[in-house]
Amino acid sequence: MRLGNLLRRMAVALSLGQGLMLPAMAQPELESFTGRFAIASQNCLKTTFGGVSKRCWRVEIDGRTDSVLTIQFFGDGEEQGSIETLTFVVSLSDPSVPLRCQNGRCELEAPSWAGRVNSVAIARYGNDGLAVSVPNAWPAKSGQCTRADNTIRCLAVGPTGGQILAEATL
């Protein structure tokens, strides 16, 4: 009787141990385009629908898929210490991905590239880091983001014809 209980407990323990190992074994490898490239920029400006240019100080490029990137420009908000982000969702025209990523950290690989802007979003955060409101997002009627001469430049035309522009030297 004791031997049967011992064997049953061992079988349950082995099953549980294998079950705990399976999720780790099933983890997919990160794709080579998945991750983020971030850099501070001393020469960065963003202009939204109002036409007023504001300084920005950081650019982040996220690899979403092998053909879609998000390019986000971080700048000063309206109040002291607040932040405004301007995000462009870009479909790449060339199938070669400009990012090379490892463990979520990326480097810009291609010295020049271009892509079509699909949409644009603006988000605002207070000086406490909390969102001030729901981000505003628009489909882009037209637009393009490019990297050339160590500069990232994005220009999009919103649904009503207004332009949104951001440019940063890397």
Side-chain angles (χ1 to χ4, degrees), residues 6 15 24 29 34 36 65-66 77 82 86 98-99 108-111 122 128 135 140 142 159 164 169:
L6 180 61
S15 297
E29 287 189 35
T34 304
R36 174 176 292 157
T65 71
D66 59 350
S82 65
L86 179 57
L99 294 175
L108 279 176
E109 185 162 280
I122 298 174
D128 56 3
S142 64
I164 298 175
T169 303

Side-chain angles (χ1 to χ4, degrees), residues 101-165:
C101 304
Q102 186 173 15
N103 296 327
R105 297 184 134 211
C106 302
E107 294 295 325
L108 279 176
E109 185 162 280
S112 64
W113 46 266
R116 181 177 52 88
V117 176
N118 298 318
S119 64
V120 181
I122 298 174
R124 292 179 178 92
Y125 303 91
N127 56 13
D128 56 3
L130 298 175
V132 174
S133 64
V134 176
N136 294 316
W138 304 271
K141 194 175 192 180
S142 64
Q144 184 172 351
C145 285
T146 59
R147 178 185 182 200
D149 299 327
N150 215 28
T151 299
I152 298 254
R153 184 175 201 271
C154 294
L155 171 67
V157 177
T160 59
Q163 290 188 350
I164 298 175
L165 170 70

